[in-house]
Amino acid sequence: EYEIFLLGRSNVGKSTLMAELTGHAVETGQRPGVTQAPNHFDWTHPSMVLTDLPGFGFMAGVSEADRERIKTDVIQYVERYADHGLVAVLVVDGKAVIDIIDRHTGPDEVAHVVELFAFLQDVGIPTVVAVNKMDKVDDRDERLNELCDRLGLPGPWQQWQDTIAPITAKRGSIDALESAVREHLHEAGRDDV
Ligand code: GDP
């Protein structure tokens, strides 16, 4: 069974996106400990599941220690199941992500989302960043270019359309994500999906 890892901190719109992808309402888990038994959801193909994993970083009502443990759990899960994982989808809030990254970047600090993206690349899982809530973003190209810059992807974002997928999950505008994922599945020889 193959997996698509879906990662993102709370409130980025992960449940909304899951509902679009699976065609039914889902409740994603953001509670501490959820990664010990991650939620799996059927996707359009019987041998394919979506695995919901919490992102790193701030979660309301979760202590620093619990956050660290969640992070360790996510890393362990992804490393352990990297062979099954065809694609990782990292969901971010397009309106907030640059501010959050810049606020948490310093001489001794790497923002969680940047760290998570780098980790997924290191493990060798093709990663798509689903940049959600684009309906709230006015300066679309500028914002997406900034995101590429922060993630270490050189050049204009249009060069990274299999990695950067601007979406508005709430309105069901997820074409960019679906084609990016399909592109990676194609590269993995999974045209049957
Ligand atoms: P989760 O915690 O990541 O599962 O996030 P939810 O799916 O529960 O969404 C969090 C909030 O963001 C809700 O109020 C959603 O209605 C809102 N939201 C989700 N997707 C979008 C979007 O594309 N645009 C806007 N403006 N809001 C969205």
Side-chain angles (χ1 to χ4, degrees):
E1 198 168 65
Y2 293 94
E3 298 186 34
I4 294 181
F5 300 129
L6 199 67
L7 305 104
R9 62 185 243 166
S10 54
N11 212 42
V12 294
K14 221 165 34 147
S15 331
T16 308
L17 176 60
M18 297 278 272
E20 282 299 322
L21 290 172
T22 62
H24 53 79
V26 294
E27 212 185 299
T28 67
Q30 292 291 346
R31 295 164 305 284
V34 73
T35 53
Q36 276 131 34
N39 294 317
H40 296 292
F41 301 95
D42 292 335
W43 201 37
T44 48
H45 193 270
S47 67
M48 190 73 76
V49 294
L50 277 171
T51 301
D52 169 34
L53 295 167
F56 300 170
F58 177 78
M59 277 167 262
V62 179
S63 72
E64 174 75 37
D66 278 339
R67 284 211 302 270
E68 281 305 311
R69 191 171 51 74
I70 291 168
K71 183 168 153 179
T72 308
D73 286 349
V74 171
I75 288 172
Q76 283 178 353
Y77 184 89
V78 170
E79 281 177 340
R80 184 161 166 210
Y81 293 102
D83 292 348
H84 300 241
L86 283 174
V87 181
V89 175
L90 176 54
V91 189
V92 300
D93 178 338
K95 179 81 180 169
V97 67
I98 300 297
D99 284 347
I100 292 171
I101 290 174
D102 289 351
R103 210 181 313 136
H104 295 283
T105 303
D108 301 310
E109 198 182 4
V110 179
H112 289 295
V113 64
V114 175
E115 189 183 6
L116 184 49
F117 181 75
F119 164 72
L120 292 165
Q121 305 234 303
D122 284 350
V123 182
I125 300 173
T127 303
V128 181
V129 182
V131 191
N132 193 29
K133 308 196 186 184
M134 287 304 289
D135 58 312
K136 296 207 286 185
V137 175
D138 299 327
D139 48 351
R140 178 187 167 90
D141 289 340
E142 197 184 321
R143 200 63 71 93
L144 295 169
N145 287 338
E146 283 177 338
L147 181 60
C148 284
D149 172 69
R150 304 305 190 271
L151 294 176
L153 306 172
W157 79 271
Q158 287 90 344
Q159 290 181 7
W160 297 99
Q161 294 195 38
D162 56 357
T163 306
I164 301 291
I167 61 169
T168 298
K170 199 162 116 176
R171 291 190 195 149
S173 312
I174 58 166
D175 290 0
L177 175 61
E178 289 185 318
S179 57
V181 168
R182 213 170 294 124
E183 180 62 32
H184 290 297
L185 294 176
H186 171 72
E187 278 164 25
R190 301 287 306 189
D191 286 311
D192 53 321
V193 178

